Amino acid sequence: MSGHSKFANIKHKKEKNDAAKGKIFTIIGREIAVAVKEGGADPDNNSRLRDVIAKAKANNMPNDTIDRGIKKAAGDANAVNYEYVSYEGYGPSGIAIIVDALTDNKNRTAANVRSAFTKGSGSIGTPGCVSYSFDKKGQIIIDKEECEMDADDLMMIALDAGAEDFQEEEDSYEIITDPDEFSNVREALEKEGIRMAEAEVTMIPQNYVELTDETAVKNLQKTLDLLDEDDDVQNVYHNWDE
């Protein structure tokens, strides 16, 4: 894992997101709605909702906005039903891309995702065509500047709570967990007052691919930008070594 901490990219994403908080809040709002529908409105009895709330706070979503989203999802019997859908495909030079979406109209979302791939000279593939080259893991990133705890102490808290791996990078710490242990590890860190720059279950590439061709980079960026602009798209995973 060392050498592939994406903290710089996370900071870049956050800066972009600051200019488009509405997009991020829409995404998280949908996740809250699904979590409440599946497990109820009480975070104490709904670990998935706790994880979404943690993600909301990491993205600076105000507490009253979070509370309103939970109450709305719990009290609105006519709320929109969102479905999770996933797409896999290839960008330029065979870059592997996975797109997770949360949608109320699968036809619309499929058309938009396909268009994003096509405009970037890529193509949608069949389910499973690239996901075999990713590992589903819980990933927690901690900014060193916001963490006063000694690295060894932080590592022991994470490992004792069930983490699989702990890496110290130049400006951050990266904690990797099995998806089933993610909530336990995140909550153990939260209890210690440790701020997390990012905490979510993600897809981590087994290998990264460098792009040296400028046209390929431009086309891939076009696809990623189009996907980023789509409100239905929740997450995009790829193995491009940016």
Side-chain angles (χ1 to χ4, degrees), residues 81-134:
N81 286 322
Y82 294 107
E83 289 183 82
Y84 276 107
V85 287
S86 186
Y87 307 91
E88 299 181 31
Y90 303 93
S93 303
I95 292 291
I97 303 174
I98 299 173
V99 181
D100 285 345
L102 200 52
T103 180
D104 59 348
N105 185 327
K106 291 203 288 189
N107 290 336
R108 177 193 66 222
T109 306
N112 289 347
V113 171
R114 187 176 299 278
S115 174
F117 273 82
T118 302
K119 288 179 178 177
S121 298
S123 61
I124 292 282
T126 56
C129 68
V130 301
S131 56
Y132 70 90
S133 61
F134 290 74

Side-chain angles (χ1 to χ4, degrees), residues 151-167:
D152 289 340
D153 293 337
L154 181 63
M155 179 175 66
M156 290 312 301
I157 291 170
L159 295 178
D160 286 346
E164 289 182 350
D165 192 22
F166 179 94
Q167 293 285 348

Side-chain angles (χ1 to χ4, degrees), residues 72-242:
K72 181 180 178 182
D76 189 352
N78 298 313
V80 176
N81 286 322
Y82 294 107
E83 289 183 82
Y84 276 107
V85 287
S86 186
Y87 307 91
E88 299 181 31
Y90 303 93
S93 303
I95 292 291
I97 303 174
I98 299 173
V99 181
D100 285 345
L102 200 52
T103 180
D104 59 348
N105 185 327
K106 291 203 288 189
N107 290 336
R108 177 193 66 222
T109 306
N112 289 347
V113 171
R114 187 176 299 278
S115 174
F117 273 82
T118 302
K119 288 179 178 177
S121 298
S123 61
I124 292 282
T126 56
C129 68
V130 301
S131 56
Y132 70 90
S133 61
F134 290 74
D135 294 318
K136 188 174 185 178
K137 296 289 183 181
Q139 183 182 45
I140 297 169
I141 306 291
I142 297 165
D143 184 350
K144 280 188 175 180
E145 291 183 356
E146 295 189 351
C147 182
E148 297 178 359
M149 186 174 289
D150 180 78
D152 289 340
D153 293 337
L154 181 63
M155 179 175 66
M156 290 312 301
I157 291 170
L159 295 178
D160 286 346
E164 289 182 350
D165 192 22
F166 179 94
Q167 293 285 348
E168 181 174 354
E169 304 293 343
E170 187 177 336
D171 55 1
S172 63
Y173 302 109
E174 180 184 47
I175 297 165
I176 301 297
T177 79
D178 180 273
D180 291 338
E181 295 294 331
F182 169 72
S183 293
N184 292 336
V185 176
R186 184 192 61 72
E187 288 171 10
L189 295 171
E190 199 172 62
K191 284 177 184 173
E192 295 291 334
I194 296 165
R195 293 188 62 182
M196 290 160 263
E198 191 137 310
E200 61 186 348
V201 175
T202 187
M203 299 292 282
I204 299 176
Q206 294 165 3
N207 296 289
Y208 289 83
V209 177
E210 286 188 32
L211 288 181
T212 54
D213 180 75
E214 285 186 22
T215 302
V217 171
K218 190 178 295 184
N219 282 332
L220 179 57
Q221 195 61 63
K222 182 185 293 183
T223 292
L224 297 178
D225 286 345
L226 287 169
L227 292 170
D228 187 51
E229 290 166 8
D230 191 326
D231 280 346
D232 293 339
V233 173
Q234 299 290 107
N235 293 295
V236 179
Y237 311 107
H238 58 76
N239 64 347
W240 175 30
D241 190 358
E242 296 176 65

